[in-house]
């Protein structure tokens, strides 16, 4: 079952340190990891992006709430995403000079092998913040459900009577991994800071051993009580092989490599910051 996409403004804490891009040197601690990249909601004018890999750049165009862009990363523990920018300088022909500058960074731990990365654009500052999830077979196996709480309340999720609770700005994994197709009762409730409890959802859901689900609880500040809380889903199906983004082949001198196109459609809302 899918939930509707709803316009929302998520008040979340956390700040992102933009790392400087440095050339790799012998003896440095290098990390090797798959990076699955997606917009939470794309900016109105999506920038051209590239992942810095040693001295090379791998251009990519994220989809919205779909982890279809995968880059095999090998580099420093702080992976840096760059955006293409037109500078105020001009070349000898009078044409503006472009430059690649840091847009956001992704921490890659020594044991990370497969990370899902949501990009939260901040158009006023010209950067993005990130939310990173472990997508390794051990950390998030198929058949799993993970609750991500972007609200100021505690959120409880119950499936077939088994309940997990995610604190405000935190996550909780449902303890069961579904090994077969299951039609289950599903309930979600919020316990607010003033002690009030609200039932948000009571329905039936289908869970599969070939799918893993990130379930986001979202709060709209200032909304009416009936419209205060909403949900978003990202479902990763085993049968949907992600597209691996390869480094571009060198093009003719003076011409930029072609950029892949992102998925079209109405994007989800722009939150203030990731969890």
């Amino acid at each position: 079952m899918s939930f509707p996409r709803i316009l929302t403004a998520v008040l979340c804490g956390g700040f992102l340190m933009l790392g400087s891009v440095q050339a790799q040197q012998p003896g440095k601690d290098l990390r090797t990891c798959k990076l699955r990249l997606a917009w939470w909601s794309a900016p109105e004018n999506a920038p051209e992006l590239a992942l810095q890999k040693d001295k090379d750049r791998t251009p990519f165009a994220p989809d919205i709430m779909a982890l279809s862009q995968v880059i095999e990363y090998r580099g420093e523990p702080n992976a840096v995403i760059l955006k293409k920018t037109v500078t105020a300088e001009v070349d000898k022909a009078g044409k503006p000079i472009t430059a690649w500058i840091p847009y956001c960074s992704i921490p890659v731990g020594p044991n990370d092998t497969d990370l899902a990365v949501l990009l939260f654009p901040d158009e006023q500052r010209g950067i993005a913040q990130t939310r990173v999830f472990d997508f390794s077979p051990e950390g998030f196996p198929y058949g799993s459900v993970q609750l991500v709480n972007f609200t100021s309340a505690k959120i409880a999720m119950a499936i077939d009577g088994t309940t997990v609770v995610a604190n405000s700005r935190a996550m909780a994994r449902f303890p069961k991994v579904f090994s077969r197709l299951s039609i289950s009762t599903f309930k979600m409730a919020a316990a607010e800071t003033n002690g009030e409890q609200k039932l948000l959802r009571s329905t039936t859901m289908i869970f599969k051993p070939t799918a893993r689900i990130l379930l986001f609880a979202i709060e709209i500040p200032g909304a009416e009580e009936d419209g205060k809380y909403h949900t978003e889903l990202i479902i990763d199906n085993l049968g949907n092989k992600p597209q691996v983004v390869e480094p571009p082949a060198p093009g003719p001198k003076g011409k930029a490599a072609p950029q892949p196109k992102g998925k079209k459609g109405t994007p989800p809302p722009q939150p203030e910051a990731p969890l």
Side-chain angles (χ1 to χ4, degrees):
M1 167 177 278
S2 62
F3 293 108
R5 297 289 173 87
I6 304 171
L7 293 180
T8 170
V10 181
L11 291 177
C12 307
F15 296 91
L16 179 68
M17 297 296 292
L18 288 178
S20 61
V21 181
Q22 300 177 345
Q24 304 289 355
Q25 297 177 4
K28 276 201 169 186
D29 182 18
L30 299 182
R31 305 286 163 84
T32 301
C33 184
K34 289 182 180 179
L35 298 180
R36 305 168 182 255
L37 301 152
W39 291 113
W40 173 269
S41 61
E44 184 175 348
N45 296 309
E48 290 187 38
L49 300 179
L51 179 68
Q52 183 75 33
K53 295 169 63 177
D54 196 357
K55 297 180 181 180
D56 298 322
R57 294 188 299 267
T58 300
F60 69 97
D63 287 333
I64 301 171
M65 296 289 280
L67 299 165
S68 56
Q69 297 287 320
V70 179
I71 298 178
E72 299 284 352
Y73 175 73
R74 177 175 171 80
E76 296 186 15
N78 198 45
V80 177
I81 291 177
L82 307 171
K83 74 171 182 178
K84 193 174 184 180
T85 304
V86 178
T87 70
E89 299 180 1
V90 296
D91 59 18
K92 294 181 180 179
K95 296 181 179 179
I97 297 175
T98 59
W100 290 88
I101 64 174
Y103 185 60
C104 64
S105 63
I106 304 162
V108 180
N111 299 318
D112 290 334
T113 58
D114 194 338
L115 297 176
V117 183
L118 289 179
L119 304 178
F120 294 75
D122 183 341
E123 294 195 72
Q124 290 185 344
R125 298 169 62 194
I127 62 173
Q129 298 185 36
T130 61
R131 186 68 167 93
V132 180
F133 303 90
D134 183 2
F135 259 49
S136 66
E138 301 79 16
F140 193 26
Y142 285 96
S144 299
V145 182
Q146 186 153 282
L147 173 63
V148 185
N149 184 0
F150 279 177
T151 79
S152 59
K154 288 185 178 181
I155 300 293
M157 176 182 69
I159 301 175
D160 288 339
T162 300
T163 302
V164 295
V165 178
N167 291 327
S168 174
R169 318 292 189 236
M171 297 189 300
R173 173 81 60 78
F174 187 68
K176 176 182 177 181
V177 176
F178 291 91
S179 58
R180 59 185 177 84
L181 183 69
S182 300
I183 302 175
S184 305
T185 59
F186 175 88
K187 293 183 180 180
M188 180 181 287
E192 298 188 320
T193 54
N194 60 5
E196 185 176 355
Q197 297 186 9
K198 296 180 179 179
L199 179 65
L200 307 181
R201 289 191 176 276
S202 180
T203 186
T204 300
M205 290 186 67
I206 298 175
F207 299 97
K208 302 177 181 179
T210 56
R212 48 188 174 179
I213 299 174
L214 288 175
L215 174 60
F216 299 88
I218 301 167
E219 181 179 4
I220 301 180
E224 298 292 334
E225 288 302 310
D226 291 344
K228 184 176 182 180
Y229 296 103
H230 296 285
T231 54
E232 292 278 354
L233 280 177
I234 292 181
I235 301 177
D236 180 47
N237 291 297
L238 182 60
N240 293 343
K241 187 176 181 180
Q243 174 188 354
V244 177
V245 180
E246 299 292 347
K253 187 175 181 181
K255 293 185 179 180
Q259 299 292 314
K261 301 297 182 181
K263 184 174 64 178
K264 297 181 179 180
T266 303
Q270 168 65 57
E272 293 189 2
L275 175 63

